[in-house]
Amino acid sequence: MPSATDSKHVIIGLRIGQSYSSIAIINKDGRADCIANEDGERQIPTMVAFSGEEELTGTQARVQLLSNAKNTITQFRNFIGKSYEECKSIANAGTAQLVDKDGQAAYKVEFKGETIVTVQEVCTKYITSLRESAENFLGQSVTGTVLAIPTYFTEEQKDSLKIATEKAGLRVLQLINEPSAAALAYELGYVANSGQKLMTVNKYDDRTDVIVDLGSDSLDVSVMSVRSGMYTVLGTTHGPDLGGAAFDELLVKHFASEFKRKTKIDIMDNKRALVKLRNAVEITKKTLSSNSTAPCSVESLAEGIDFHGNINRTRFEIMANKLFSKNLEIISEALKENGLEPQSIDEVILCGGASRIPKLQSKIREMFVNPSTLIRQDFEPEEVVAYGCAFQGSLISNYADTLINDSINSSTTFTPHLLKSIGIVNAKQEFITLIPENTPLPVRRNFTFSNYLENQKEIYITIWEGVQKHQEDEKKAEEEKNDEKEEGEGEIKIPQRPINVPDKLLAEMVLKNLPEKKTNELKIDITIEVNIDNKCIIMAKEIATDKKLEIVIEGNTK
Amino acid sequence: MSQTQFVLGVPPPTWNDGEEFRIHCGISDGLTRNIEPIGNQFLAYVRRKLNNYSFSDDERIQAEAATEQAEEIILEDSEEETSELLNRDPKDWKEQDHYAVLGLSKYRWKATEEQIKHAHRRKVLKHHPDKKASSGDTNDDAFFKCIQKAHEVLSDPVKRRQFDSVDDAIDDEVPSSKAKGDFFKTYGPIFEREARFSNKTPVPMLGDINTSKPEVEAFYDFWYNFDSWRSFEYLDKEDTDSTDNRDDKRYIEKKNKAERAKRKKEDNIRRGKLIDQALSLDPRILKFKQEEKAAKEAKKREKEDAAKRAEEETRKVLLIKHFPLHYFSSSFHSRLVAQMLL
């Protein structure tokens, strides 16, 4: 993996979050790492503020939020490329006022007189500050970036963000979806960052991933099939108002009522007090993820009275129970929409800061009962998306813009996928998946088979299309150990994982006059290729004698 | 994955002997979806798709590219090893040309760390004593020691700079001021050679006759304030490690230091002389001076013209004052005035 500073192209990975952003680079060891801004923060608040003659961003904007709320712009990411009408109902009250500028969303601030800044301009200012932070850190000018965007961004939003980034002096190599970036970070980064090998399910690395992104303002669950290193998003479910902020809100309510009980002062209508409390509970929440109790202190919360409170983890978990269930509902909904069940998932990737909540993690673990399902949280969940961007940036840093544009064009990425798995039924009457369903076409794979009997002179190959079935339905077959992903014999008792069973016979072939060998000593090379017209070419070859047979199954011409 | 699953049996008894295969039906039509444009495999997919390669085409092309690259690395270093070089005594390593030992003499100070690493590995593989012993060659490991010493010096950035500072293969000569030939052809390479000692980068280069005035000025400005890392430790006559006596050590160190300072001073004087000479011979400076002179003269002339015109103006005004307008009604008068104005 070339590092960020190796070549003359310095590429950074950027994730602009609704509340926090991060900048990732590939360092000299080929690992992805986030870099800190000038204030030493790796999680840089997504805020822009105007204070007197100065423009402040990130940590500095956050520091003065309380004293200068009406000139501070927060939570602006999702408004880029949107009209005022779309945004006005969800605008953040208490900070800079959202106004209408030629139909676009903009903010009114006090900066050298009254000024209207559009969301795009705000983004440009913010991204410029991120670029400068990166340049200060690297001591080198940054030329380009790969940006992560939420899956629900529209084309206009993507374009607008692209323009804002280019105005900030960064060449946008590519925009990639946040869940895809997270998945890529695990694929490319796992070996580089942890030194361990990523558990591969089989030779061709086929797996089905669920990416749970618990951001500050929403929960996004994406189901993705990974086939030979190619990623296809099967579906995304968006749960607005279920992110980390919702947990904060619970704590705010809790502490506000505690304050009221102690002092008889109701702060629920006191915007200033709420902002103070919200800032404080965010830290309380983070502490609760590692400690069993956490304090919450606000100086002069209302009417000059200080507030000191405490909460323990159990209490918080009881309060948040409803929220947890809602989160899990979204996840199971996402699975259901794609006809999948928790046990057929190979990997669950957690990202977003709120996914650190221990109870939520254990609930997710409970949901994916199959012990072979991996719950991945090895990387910092806030940073993993930016890592993915940095890796992608290092892959394409030497590519010309036109080539990148051609490759991300939908005419290139839009391609048929296999509907059902294709496999071979072996001598033990077991179905062996060669190419699983949802594999993008064209595809070519290669396997080595062997003889079952001694001195076998003929080999019989049957090519089948398979369908998924539950093992309970297949009791009569009692082929417990043969499941879709071929877990290996050590893990025979995996419960209820759907397996592939032969459904439709596609072709039979016989390889004749083979040399006489002992069991398992014949080497038969089988190459299967499916092209985009559903034409399937199967070539069987005995390696020692070079005896071969090739057949072509034409696609259904409808 | 258990390999025992990948076994195939014999055809059923109903199978006709003459038959090789039967095709029953095609694959079910799939859904068309977007693949995510990320990762290595996607790049391979794009390569095939945009170039219309099949899997086997692509494999072949990639393999060809890989072998080409491998060949390039081998070709890179086929410098001859002269017998003189091979028979060097490792003891007088100070006189040894480390670049030549590693086969990098055409790169010298331009050789990258990567090249040095590769070159060292290659030479070690060739000259390792074990290898020589096995091939029956009983030659001692002298040259191998030379290689190790060369690597030790060149792989350490500090030691390498010390060696580069006194690299004999690159001459320090300042050309005679009376030497004939194109100024840029003579001095360009010299400045390029001297630039390697600069602490500051990038170093401005000489340029050509068309280089603009500010650039030329910046060039001489930079070179007159040259910050050099050149040092002369490598030429130290005695090593401080050669004695255990503290006083001796101090004495040697003091002597070495004085020697180094002296050489450094000489070097700075040498460079100063070079720049002075270049400045005095630089055709651009001459050109700029002439241009300046011309500009000055033009300005002066303009000033004079302006003064003349102003004088005329005043005369005209005076005239008009003394001869009111109706005097100019006839052509005679106007001619008269015209004559007076002239």
Side-chain angles (χ1 to χ4, degrees), chain A residues 151 153 218 303 306 325 341 347 397 404 410 472 476 522:
Chain A
T151 43
F153 256 34
S218 67
E303 296 176 23
D306 295 354
S325 333
E341 283 168 54
E347 257 185 354
S397 63
I404 296 174
S410 63
E472 294 96 90
K476 56 182 178 199
L522 214 55

Side-chain angles (χ1 to χ4, degrees), chain A residues 174 180 228 231 392 395 412-413 415 417 426-427 432 444 450 452 456 460 465 506-508 510 512 534 552, chain B residues 5-9 17 19-20 22-24 28-31 33-37 39-41 45 59:
Chain A
Q174 196 179 345
S180 319
S228 323
Y231 297 79
Q392 179 66 11
L395 288 182
T412 312
T413 61
T415 193
H417 285 57
N426 70 5
I432 295 168
R444 187 177 72 162
S450 199
Y452 186 53
Q456 193 175 335
Y460 176 58
E465 211 168 60
L506 298 175
E508 301 164 87
V510 172
K512 292 175 186 167
N534 271 345
V552 176
Chain B
Q5 284 187 312
F6 287 79
V7 285
L8 293 167
D17 273 351
E19 252 181 320
E20 279 197 311
R22 287 180 201 158
I23 290 170
H24 298 275
S28 313
D29 278 330
L31 296 169
R33 293 178 190 268
N34 267 320
I35 23 178
E36 288 294 296
N40 277 318
Q41 290 303 318
Y45 164 83
E59 252 168 34

